[in-house]
Amino acid sequence: MSVPVTGRASADTGESAWHPAWLPPAAFRELGSRPVLVHGDGPLVDTVLDEVSRACARYGGRLWHGPPWQVDVDLVLALRAAGPVPNAAAEAARLGATPAVNGTGDGSLGDEGYLLARVSGVTVVLADAPGGLLYGMFHVLRLGAAAFDDDLPARRHRPALDRRMLDHWDNVAVHPVSGQVERGYAGGSLFWRDGAARHEPARLRDYGRLLAACGVNAVCVNNVNVHDTEARLLTDRLGDVAEIADVLRPYGVRVHLSVTFAAPVVLGGLPTADPLDERVRAWWAAATRRVYQRIGDFGGYLVKADSEGRPGPFAYGRDHADGANLLAEALAPHGGVVHWRAFVYDHHQDWRDRSTDRARAAHDHFAPLDGRFDDNVILQVKFGPIDFQAREPVSPVLAAMPATRVAVELQATQEYTGQQRHVCYLGPWWSEVLRFRLRGAAGGTIADVAAGRAGTGGGLVAVANVGDDPFWTGHPLAQANLYAFGRLAWDPRLDPGAILDEWIDLTWLPVTTDDPEPVRRTMHAIMDDSWRTYERYTAPLGVGFMVRPGHHYGPDVDGYEYTPWGTYHFADRDGLGVDRTRATGTGFTGQYPPPWSEVYESRERCPDELLLFFHHVPYRHVLHSGRTVIQHIYDTHFAGVEEVAAMRERWRLVAGAVDPAVHDRVAERLDEQFRSAVEWRDQINTYFFRKSGVPDAHGRRIH
Ligand code: GCV
């Protein structure tokens, strides 16, 4: 039967109030202009059918779903178990009779994997589960015309990480300090507005498509800081969560919920939330049962406990294994998991006390607990020991928990990387983190930790950077971070530069010419190194946190220096940096396994970019680069501003070649980035010139 076409006005007509991001209608041109066979049934197959039928309606192709069918289709998307397909080449592939297909290992595809080939003029996507078909279809879109050119050798594609999740720091009620979205730079929340659910399924559905198209399969719908209104999402406001789950489910995205550890008290009226109290356990079991009655495929809970004022097990003299296992026990009968955050530190530190070190906190708390967490606890660890800075070492906790499922947490929302007013493509930074080997060359990577053994790992999580902004991310180019997160979570070995090009090609089709090359080249040149540019004009050599307190935008070298937050640079007239050595400092280097415990301990061996994170050094200390620390500060800050100026020039050159609304938005943000970079340069250079008294070797103007 050929399937009747159903359309959704928003994405089909391009008339929606929001940008299509990486799924503009034109991305479907190649697929939609051909005869296509979709073979199989199930809810996610329905999604594939819907996508293909709308594409065919737009571009003149034809969709077949079951017999009688056309034999000469160009594309077959089939569940292997759905039975024979008409096209001989596709059928041979389905039966594994194609030699190339036979060469693809054990052949198992799992719930999300697929096999993609082009044999004898037909492109074939085979999967064992509907999710695989959906991801396979998006792969065909990424390939564009190349999906239908020459033969493609059969390749099995399975995600390296089973869990690929976005955490929204969205509040239901507008919080007096953090607003609708904590650390949100993309307008309001997609889910909530002014204390209530938005009930806007069209936008949410498009969000689900975007997520599936880059590989994300889970979202947590509310902020880890759970306030009064948000606490009730677990109970009387559960219907709102169920509604979101219903909209995202067709794109293979499961919903999770942040809960407060104090829920038995604030919602249940119990006198305690003690994890070992029977009444508390019974309360969580009953509340969780009700969640699963409403949302059968609910993912689980996310908890921030004993952190920045949130309640937690410490109040009852219990540890974090007791706390996490309490929720794990409630979720286990339903197949749910608890993501338990390791972001636990003292935010009432005495800045005078140089022995207390915030960087040590997560390891101090959690390393002794390895082996005590239930199987469905995932310890969610920020990638670095402090807090999502533009440069930090990788957290030693990631090497300390071999008997625990661990998720690595990244921050797509650009709290410390320009707040979506600055271009800062984070793919290269995340890739560096994921490829890092905590035990040296012979050991596994951070991605391996997230993958766990045989897929049991906690996966990769990012704090989301989207909102109700028409471009989804405030800065249109920040979409690339969301896209890159999904793609790296699917395959951490992907090259971030190639991901960037993929995103550009899928998203920014030129408006006045058929030649995509100038726009592609310009965007690539602006974005590819933009994280390093950002690093150059902000806090130097890994020292971090020279931002304005509270909102964290713009420079303020001493903004946090005499505060309780544990984020100091210790600059004086002789030098700067934090001594975290075992020999003379806080001993943080001892939390790393070799070789890094030795490399970071040594001033001589420590990589330049992390020197000030680990050592307090004189301004005239000579880096591996051959420059002194102070000259490095001056040089990088001048260079960073020049690079932003060049970005701005490049963007001017593509005026007219991209949608004017996009061009204006990016141009306006680049102006602000330039202004801000100049401010950073001048404050940092002036501060260190005045502290050190060392002039710039090149005699440039410092104030
Ligand atoms: C959601 C930092 C941010 C907070 C955030 C916290 C966290 O401290 O500034 O806004 O709270 O990290 O990750 O829990």
Side-chain angles (χ1 to χ4, degrees), residues 119-163:
V119 275
S120 314
V122 57
T123 303
V124 187
V125 174
L126 297 169
D128 288 342
L133 221 52
L134 184 67
Y135 290 122
M137 178 193 70
F138 284 123
H139 192 146
V140 171
L141 291 186
R142 285 199 295 276
L143 290 175
F148 303 98
D149 279 354
D150 301 335
D151 278 5
L152 292 170
R155 256 195 75 195
R156 205 161 58 109
H157 300 267
R158 288 189 60 167
L161 308 180
D162 288 345
R163 315 186 68 85

Side-chain angles (χ1 to χ4, degrees), residues 410-433:
L410 309 171
Q411 195 183 41
T413 195
Q414 291 173 234
E415 178 177 0
Y416 298 101
T417 50
Q419 303 201 348
Q420 282 139 258
R421 292 189 239 179
H422 297 216
V423 184
C424 186
Y425 173 53
L426 292 164
W429 181 206
W430 295 339
S431 171
E432 208 172 283
V433 168

Side-chain angles (χ1 to χ4, degrees), residues 169 182-183 224-225 304 308 341 343 382 387 415:
W169 285 355
E182 181 157 352
R183 311 304 179 188
V224 287
N225 291 328
K304 171 176 177 177
E308 301 183 335
R341 294 179 86 225
F343 184 60
K382 287 191 182 185
D387 196 4
E415 178 177 0

Side-chain angles (χ1 to χ4, degrees), residues 539-595:
L541 298 166
V543 74
F545 255 101
M546 291 177 170
V547 289
R548 290 205 183 273
H551 58 65
H552 296 167
Y553 187 72
D556 189 343
V557 183
D558 281 340
Y560 274 105
E561 197 58 14
Y562 308 104
T563 72
W565 292 95
T567 48
Y568 314 121
H569 55 69
F570 297 121
D572 55 29
R573 64 179 183 177
D574 300 317
L576 82 157
V578 191
D579 185 352
R580 294 191 157 108
T581 63
R582 305 190 284 290
T584 52
T586 68
F588 172 64
T589 58
Q591 293 186 340
Y592 287 87

Side-chain angles (χ1 to χ4, degrees), residues 1 106 206 273 278 303 312 356 366 422 458 504 539 546 650 652 699:
M1 139 187 108
D106 68 0
D206 275 4
E278 279 308 324
V303 185
T356 306
F366 287 95
H422 297 216
I504 295 169
M546 291 177 170
R650 286 200 168 97
R652 285 198 180 118

Side-chain angles (χ1 to χ4, degrees), residues 7 25 41 106 223 245 280 291 336 367 398 434-435 446 470 568 583 639 687:
D41 291 294
D106 68 0
N223 188 1
V280 171
V291 173
L398 298 171
L434 291 167
R435 287 164 192 247
I446 296 300
Y568 314 121
Y687 181 97

